[in-house]
PDB file of all heavy atoms in Angstrom:
ATOM      1  N   TYR A  87     -43.295  28.276   9.043  1.00 91.00           N
ATOM      2  CA  TYR A  87     -43.155  28.849   7.710  1.00 91.00           C
ATOM      3  C   TYR A  87     -43.558  27.777   6.714  1.00 91.00           C
ATOM      4  O   TYR A  87     -42.913  26.736   6.618  1.00 91.00           O
ATOM      5  CB  TYR A  87     -41.721  29.274   7.438  1.00 91.00           C
ATOM      6  CG  TYR A  87     -41.218  30.419   8.290  1.00 91.00           C
ATOM      7  CD1 TYR A  87     -39.860  30.680   8.355  1.00 91.00           C
ATOM      8  CD2 TYR A  87     -42.068  31.235   9.013  1.00 91.00           C
ATOM      9  CE1 TYR A  87     -39.375  31.729   9.116  1.00 91.00           C
ATOM     10  CE2 TYR A  87     -41.594  32.276   9.776  1.00 91.00           C
ATOM     11  CZ  TYR A  87     -40.249  32.518   9.827  1.00 91.00           C
ATOM     12  OH  TYR A  87     -39.766  33.556  10.579  1.00 91.00           O
ATOM     13  N   TYR A  88     -44.610  28.036   6.016  1.00 87.00           N
ATOM     14  CA  TYR A  88     -45.097  27.139   4.980  1.00 87.00           C
ATOM     15  C   TYR A  88     -45.329  25.720   5.509  1.00 87.00           C
ATOM     16  O   TYR A  88     -44.773  24.748   5.019  1.00 87.00           O
ATOM     17  CB  TYR A  88     -44.163  27.155   3.757  1.00 87.00           C
ATOM     18  CG  TYR A  88     -44.914  26.970   2.470  1.00 87.00           C
ATOM     19  CD1 TYR A  88     -45.721  27.984   1.987  1.00 87.00           C
ATOM     20  CD2 TYR A  88     -44.842  25.790   1.780  1.00 87.00           C
ATOM     21  CE1 TYR A  88     -46.433  27.824   0.822  1.00 87.00           C
ATOM     22  CE2 TYR A  88     -45.554  25.611   0.608  1.00 87.00           C
ATOM     23  CZ  TYR A  88     -46.350  26.632   0.130  1.00 87.00           C
ATOM     24  OH  TYR A  88     -47.075  26.455  -1.019  1.00 87.00           O
ATOM     25  N   PHE A  89     -46.076  25.634   6.594  1.00 90.00           N
ATOM     26  CA  PHE A  89     -46.590  24.399   7.173  1.00 90.00           C
ATOM     27  C   PHE A  89     -45.567  23.556   7.930  1.00 90.00           C
ATOM     28  O   PHE A  89     -45.847  22.407   8.259  1.00 90.00           O
ATOM     29  CB  PHE A  89     -47.287  23.528   6.115  1.00 90.00           C
ATOM     30  CG  PHE A  89     -48.420  24.229   5.444  1.00 90.00           C
ATOM     31  CD1 PHE A  89     -48.234  24.857   4.224  1.00 90.00           C
ATOM     32  CD2 PHE A  89     -49.668  24.299   6.042  1.00 90.00           C
ATOM     33  CE1 PHE A  89     -49.277  25.528   3.599  1.00 90.00           C
ATOM     34  CE2 PHE A  89     -50.714  24.968   5.423  1.00 90.00           C
ATOM     35  CZ  PHE A  89     -50.522  25.591   4.208  1.00 90.00           C
ATOM     36  N   THR A  90     -44.391  24.073   8.220  1.00 91.00           N
ATOM     37  CA  THR A  90     -43.425  23.286   8.987  1.00 91.00           C
ATOM     38  C   THR A  90     -42.502  24.205   9.781  1.00 91.00           C
ATOM     39  O   THR A  90     -42.587  25.429   9.684  1.00 91.00           O
ATOM     40  CB  THR A  90     -42.630  22.330   8.073  1.00 91.00           C
ATOM     41  OG1 THR A  90     -41.945  21.379   8.892  1.00 91.00           O
ATOM     42  CG2 THR A  90     -41.651  23.073   7.191  1.00 91.00           C
ATOM     43  N   LEU A  91     -41.638  23.598  10.573  1.00 94.00           N
ATOM     44  CA  LEU A  91     -40.664  24.358  11.351  1.00 94.00           C
ATOM     45  C   LEU A  91     -39.769  25.155  10.414  1.00 94.00           C
ATOM     46  O   LEU A  91     -39.366  24.670   9.356  1.00 94.00           O
ATOM     47  CB  LEU A  91     -39.806  23.410  12.193  1.00 94.00           C
ATOM     48  CG  LEU A  91     -40.536  22.572  13.230  1.00 94.00           C
ATOM     49  CD1 LEU A  91     -39.589  21.551  13.842  1.00 94.00           C
ATOM     50  CD2 LEU A  91     -41.150  23.450  14.306  1.00 94.00           C
ATOM     51  N   CYS A  92     -39.436  26.361  10.812  1.00 94.00           N
ATOM     52  CA  CYS A  92     -38.606  27.218   9.969  1.00 94.00           C
ATOM     53  C   CYS A  92     -37.205  26.625   9.785  1.00 94.00           C
ATOM     54  O   CYS A  92     -36.738  25.819  10.591  1.00 94.00           O
ATOM     55  CB  CYS A  92     -38.521  28.618  10.558  1.00 94.00           C
ATOM     56  SG  CYS A  92     -37.699  28.698  12.162  1.00 94.00           S
ATOM     57  N   ALA A  93     -36.542  27.027   8.728  1.00 94.00           N
ATOM     58  CA  ALA A  93     -35.206  26.525   8.387  1.00 94.00           C
ATOM     59  C   ALA A  93     -34.190  26.812   9.486  1.00 94.00           C
ATOM     60  O   ALA A  93     -33.252  26.028   9.691  1.00 94.00           O
ATOM     61  CB  ALA A  93     -34.735  27.140   7.072  1.00 94.00           C
ATOM     62  N   GLN A  94     -34.370  27.914  10.205  1.00 96.00           N
ATOM     63  CA  GLN A  94     -33.437  28.272  11.269  1.00 96.00           C
ATOM     64  C   GLN A  94     -33.400  27.214  12.374  1.00 96.00           C
ATOM     65  O   GLN A  94     -32.396  27.092  13.076  1.00 96.00           O
ATOM     66  CB  GLN A  94     -33.795  29.637  11.866  1.00 96.00           C
ATOM     67  CG  GLN A  94     -33.589  30.788  10.900  1.00 96.00           C
ATOM     68  CD  GLN A  94     -34.802  31.088  10.031  1.00 96.00           C
ATOM     69  OE1 GLN A  94     -35.678  30.238   9.803  1.00 96.00           O
ATOM     70  NE2 GLN A  94     -34.866  32.304   9.516  1.00 96.00           N
ATOM     71  N   LEU A  95     -34.476  26.454  12.531  1.00 97.00           N
ATOM     72  CA  LEU A  95     -34.482  25.358  13.504  1.00 97.00           C
ATOM     73  C   LEU A  95     -34.166  24.018  12.845  1.00 97.00           C
ATOM     74  O   LEU A  95     -33.585  23.131  13.473  1.00 97.00           O
ATOM     75  CB  LEU A  95     -35.829  25.279  14.229  1.00 97.00           C
ATOM     76  CG  LEU A  95     -35.902  24.291  15.392  1.00 97.00           C
ATOM     77  CD1 LEU A  95     -34.842  24.588  16.441  1.00 97.00           C
ATOM     78  CD2 LEU A  95     -37.272  24.306  16.021  1.00 97.00           C
ATOM     79  N   GLN A  96     -34.521  23.879  11.599  1.00 96.00           N
ATOM     80  CA  GLN A  96     -34.243  22.619  10.897  1.00 96.00           C
ATOM     81  C   GLN A  96     -32.743  22.325  10.858  1.00 96.00           C
ATOM     82  O   GLN A  96     -32.336  21.172  11.046  1.00 96.00           O
ATOM     83  CB  GLN A  96     -34.797  22.659   9.471  1.00 96.00           C
ATOM     84  CG  GLN A  96     -36.303  22.661   9.374  1.00 96.00           C
ATOM     85  CD  GLN A  96     -36.927  21.333   9.748  1.00 96.00           C
ATOM     86  OE1 GLN A  96     -36.273  20.346  10.027  1.00 96.00           O
ATOM     87  NE2 GLN A  96     -38.241  21.301   9.762  1.00 96.00           N
ATOM     88  N   ALA A  97     -31.931  23.333  10.598  1.00 96.00           N
ATOM     89  CA  ALA A  97     -30.481  23.096  10.486  1.00 96.00           C
ATOM     90  C   ALA A  97     -29.898  22.499  11.767  1.00 96.00           C
ATOM     91  O   ALA A  97     -29.247  21.452  11.712  1.00 96.00           O
ATOM     92  CB  ALA A  97     -29.755  24.370  10.065  1.00 96.00           C
ATOM     93  N   PRO A  98     -30.103  23.097  12.944  1.00 97.00           N
ATOM     94  CA  PRO A  98     -29.530  22.470  14.148  1.00 97.00           C
ATOM     95  C   PRO A  98     -30.114  21.096  14.469  1.00 97.00           C
ATOM     96  O   PRO A  98     -29.392  20.208  14.941  1.00 97.00           O
ATOM     97  CB  PRO A  98     -29.814  23.458  15.276  1.00 97.00           C
ATOM     98  CG  PRO A  98     -30.559  24.581  14.709  1.00 97.00           C
ATOM     99  CD  PRO A  98     -30.670  24.402  13.233  1.00 97.00           C
TER     100      PRO A  98
END
Side-chain angles (χ1 to χ4, degrees):
Y87 294 165
Y88 214 71
F89 302 97
T90 194
L91 298 172
C92 64
Q94 293 89 337
L95 187 57
Q96 291 289 356

